[in-house]
Structure formats: C-alpha cells, structure tokens
C-alpha cells in the first residue's frame, strides 16, 4: 500500500480546518452585515411620511381644508377629537390658534400639538376677519401656516414622533381656495423631521428622517376627504438595525411623486443610498393610515 509523506498528510488533514477557520474570520459577512434597505422598506417609510395617522404630510390637511373654520374659529372644534383655542389679531387680520387632541382606535393612535396662523381672504385677495363678515362677505380662500407643531403616533408596525421644521423664509403653509364651496383646492408645502421604530423578537429598526412635501392642486371634497392632485417630495433617513445585539446603519435619499385618487395615492419613488439600489418603483398607499396597500 502506498503511503503519503508526513508533510503531505498533514496538509491534507489541516487544509479543511484552515478553510473553516478562515470562513469564520472577522472578514466573513454576518446576518447584520447583509442588511439592505429594500424597496419594501423604502415604500413603508414614504407611506408613513405621507399618512395622516402616522404624522405625515397630510396630517394637517383636514384641519386646514375640512371646512371647520366657517364662522368664528375660536368657537369651533375640528372632527376626530381635535380641539382649538384661537385669538384674533385685529391689526394683522389673522387668527393664531393652538390645536391639540388625538385620534385613534384599537390599532393606531395619533396625538398632535400645534400652533397655526389662519387668515381669510376675499375674492380680490384682501384679508377679512372671518369666513363670513357681518355684511355677508364670504371668504374665497384661506392660508394655514404652522408656527410650531409636533405629534406622536403608534400603529400595528410603527411607533414614533414627528416635529414640524420651522423656517420663516420657507414655512410649512397651505393656501386653500374655493372655501365657499364643497370642493376645495389645496396648494402648499410641509417639512418635518420624523423618528420611527419597529421592534420584533430579534430585531429593532430605527429611522431618523427628514421629509418634505409640496402640494399641487390637491382637491379636498368636504364629506369625503382627499379626491385628487399631486404631492411631490423628498425623504432622507439614517436607518439603524440592531439584530441579536449587533447594529448596522444604512442611508437612503429618495424623491417621490404621489398621485392622489379618492383617499389613496399611487407613489413613484427614485433614490439612492447605502445598500439601496435606487431603481424607480411604484406602490399604492392609504393616505389616512399611512399603510402600503400594494
């Protein structure tokens, strides 16, 4: 029988062990290293940044466009358990209102606290003190400007907080036209910081983000809500995932266009970031819940 020299026999025995040890070295990928911001993750992030009960872009639209300001703003309550306390500034012909409250059910809750400035205008663009003056002059439009605002939200998957970014030169503000009818037109913009987290048995995922949105001819129908129009925006976030005690951070920077149709929106996303492919993709979201529909 043929015998290998001792050196060759040692190499033959040790080589498999060497390969196993090398594969387990620090350079080998772990489950956490493989963390990628998928298209589904990006869709969930943007949907939440749009949704009402997730403190997204449309969280103030019902308050601004819901027809609740007909008459004296200080004497009215909004729907969904929001309360308002307003003071009138006769010199500037506008109202400053604090709005707070919460909405929710067994699945999701949103609490809000904001200060807004409200101003009515007649058909010629002249400010007037109320929706309808004592001589019967009805306002044609209003502006709704957020002076400060924040809120907390919690749902089946996400919990977090948002804060309106304050910038006097570029405020979060809407112009609502045709307020003397049931079909209102909303144009404006909103910018906010948001934090949300998702916790499972083995994983905690945290997103710290900045989101902006521009409303273009968004139609709000009293009694049925958002009907049509476009919201364009940006979303940038640091996404941290901790799994089995190991943490990895990724980044995403997205642009989106949301086409509204009867309370939902078809959203097209393009973007870039670490471990995000940047390819364009489209999904549908429920604008009230901030959930991805398909």
């Amino acid at each position: 029988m043929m015998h290998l020299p001792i050196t060759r026999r040692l190499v033959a025995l040790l080589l498999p062990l060497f390969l196993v040890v090398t594969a387990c070295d620090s350079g080998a990928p772990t489950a956490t290293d493989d963390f990628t911001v998928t298209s589904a993750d990006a869709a969930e992030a943007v949907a939440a940044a749009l949704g009402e009960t997730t403190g997204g872009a449309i969280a103030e639209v019902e308050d601004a466009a819901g027809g609740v300001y007909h008459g004296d703003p200080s004497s009215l309550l909004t729907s969904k358990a929001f309360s308002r306390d307003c003071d009138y500034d006769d010199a500037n012909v506008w109202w400053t209102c604090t709005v707070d409250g919460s909405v929710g059910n067994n699945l999701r809750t949103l609490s809000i606290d904001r200060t807004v400035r409200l101003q009515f205008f007649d058909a010629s663009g002249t400010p007037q003190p109320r929706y309808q003056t004592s001589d019967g002059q009805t306002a044609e439009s209003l502006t709704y400007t957020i002076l400060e605002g924040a809120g907390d939200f919690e749902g089946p998957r996400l919990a977090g907080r948002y804060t309106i970014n304050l910038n006097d030169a570029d405020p979060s503000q809407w112009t609502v036209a045709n307020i003397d009818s049931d079909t209102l037109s909303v144009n404006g913009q909103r910018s906010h910081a948001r934090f949300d987290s998702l916790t499972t048995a083995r994983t905690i995922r945290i997103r710290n983000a900045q989101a902006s949105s521009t409303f273009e001819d968004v139609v709000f129908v009293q009694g049925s809500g958002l009907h049509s129009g476009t919201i364009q925006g940006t979303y940038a976030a640091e996404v941290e995932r901790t799994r089995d005690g190991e943490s990895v951070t990724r980044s995403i920077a997205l642009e989106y266009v949301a086409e509204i149709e009867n309370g939902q929106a078809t959203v097209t996303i393009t973007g870039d970031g670490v471990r995000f492919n940047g390819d364009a993709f489209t999904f549908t979201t429920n604008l009230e819940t901030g959930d991805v529909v398909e």
Side-chain angles (χ1 to χ4, degrees):
M1 182 172 63
M2 182 177 178
H3 295 278
L4 291 172
I6 188 168
T7 302
R8 292 177 63 187
R9 280 186 286 160
L10 284 172
V11 170
L13 289 171
L14 294 176
L15 181 59
L17 179 61
F18 174 78
L19 293 175
V20 170
V21 172
T22 303
C24 295
D25 196 8
S26 60
T30 67
T32 312
D33 289 331
D34 290 338
F35 169 41
T36 297
V37 180
T38 65
S39 296
D41 292 336
E44 179 186 61
V46 172
L50 284 167
E52 179 183 7
T53 57
T54 47
I58 71 162
E60 291 83 20
V61 169
E62 181 168 357
D63 197 35
V68 294
Y69 292 113
H70 292 189
D72 181 346
S74 63
S75 66
L76 297 171
L77 298 178
T78 71
S79 62
K80 298 188 176 180
F82 289 166
S83 65
R84 181 183 301 106
D85 182 18
C86 299
D87 294 313
Y88 181 64
D89 184 332
D90 186 62
N92 290 300
V93 198
W94 62 42
W95 296 85
T96 301
C97 305
T98 57
V99 185
D100 61 73
S102 62
V103 301
N105 51 36
N106 292 333
L107 292 177
R108 61 190 80 241
T109 59
L110 168 69
S111 62
I112 62 99
D113 182 5
R114 68 178 77 109
T115 302
V116 302
R117 179 176 294 150
L118 174 72
Q119 190 166 36
F120 295 97
F121 298 88
D122 64 19
S124 67
T126 302
Q128 65 181 54
R130 291 175 175 80
Y131 169 71
Q132 189 171 55
T133 61
S134 58
D135 60 0
Q137 176 69 47
T138 301
E140 194 278 333
S141 66
L142 63 84
T143 57
Y144 182 99
T145 305
I146 300 179
L147 304 180
E148 58 181 327
D152 299 284
F153 56 92
E154 183 172 358
R157 282 179 55 82
L158 299 178
R161 181 171 178 79
Y162 75 93
T163 305
I164 301 297
N165 296 330
L166 303 179
N167 184 341
D168 292 339
D170 195 22
S172 293
Q173 181 183 72
W174 293 266
T175 297
V176 185
N178 307 321
I179 64 173
D180 53 348
S181 72
D182 290 334
T183 302
L184 297 83
S185 177
V186 182
N187 288 273
Q189 60 190 12
R190 182 191 198 248
S191 175
H192 72 286
R194 57 186 298 112
F195 164 91
D196 64 56
S197 63
L198 168 67
T199 302
T200 65
R202 296 178 58 194
T203 302
I204 300 173
R205 194 217 42 224
I206 295 172
R207 290 189 291 239
N208 280 292
Q210 291 285 337
S212 66
S213 55
T214 300
F215 290 63
E216 300 176 357
D217 299 325
V218 172
V219 174
F220 183 94
V221 179
Q222 296 201 48
S224 60
L226 292 169
H227 180 265
S228 60
T230 302
I231 302 175
Q232 298 192 55
T234 61
Y235 179 94
E238 293 294 314
V239 185
E240 179 183 355
R241 190 181 80 167
T242 302
R243 186 170 187 178
D244 298 334
E246 297 183 40
S247 297
V248 174
T249 300
R250 305 293 187 228
S251 65
I252 53 175
L254 310 172
E255 296 180 357
Y256 68 85
V257 178
E259 299 291 347
I260 299 169
E261 184 175 359
N262 297 326
Q264 293 190 343
T266 300
V267 185
T268 300
I269 287 179
T270 56
D272 202 353
V274 176
R275 296 281 183 96
F276 180 68
N277 58 28
D279 292 340
F281 64 95
T282 300
F283 66 94
T284 302
T285 180
N286 182 309
L287 289 172
E288 180 179 1
T289 64
D291 292 334
V292 175
V293 177
E294 59 183 33

